[in-house]
Each structure stands twice: as C-alpha cells, then as structure tokens.
Amino acid sequence: LQAFLFACCQVFQLLTDLKQQRKESGKNKQSSGQQNLNTIMYETLKYISKTPCRYQSPETVREFLVAMKDHKLTK
C-alpha cells in the first residue's frame, strides 16, 4: 500500500474549487455533518491562505521535486 501525499497548493486549490461549487449551487439547508465539513474547509482555507503555498502551483512543486532529485533526500 503506497500513500499519496497532496501538496498544500493542491489542497488549497481543491478547497477553493469546492467552495466555489457550493456557492454556485446555492444550497442553504445543511445537515450538522455538512456544517462540520464547512467549518473544516473554512479553517483549512484560512490557515493555508496565510502560507506561501497559496502562490504555488502543481508545476512549481514538480519543478522543485525534479531539482531536488539529485540530492537523494529521504523522508
């Protein structure tokens, strides 16, 4: 079993897209589980938007990983 790690920029983009989709759908009535999910999304976006990953893209992350490959870093 191999774990897949998301870069923070990918999480930021995913949550931003989900937030936009929810805004466009205009659903007002929400279950308590949905409210909890909205809170988690809000808090995560609030935190991530204060970090440099807000300005990163998958391409810049990929370029960084390629540049670091020769250094043979471990987890």
Side-chain angles (χ1 to χ4, degrees), residues 45-63:
L45 275 171
K46 184 174 147 184
Y47 172 79
I48 290 178
S49 66
K50 295 177 185 177
T51 66
C53 74
R54 179 181 188 163
Y55 307 104
Q56 294 174 337
S57 68
E59 292 79 26
T60 58
V61 172
R62 193 173 305 111
E63 289 171 9

Side-chain angles (χ1 to χ4, degrees), residues 63-73:
E63 289 171 9
F64 171 77
L65 292 174
V66 168
M68 297 305 292
K69 190 174 185 179
D70 293 336
H71 297 285
K72 298 178 182 161
L73 300 175

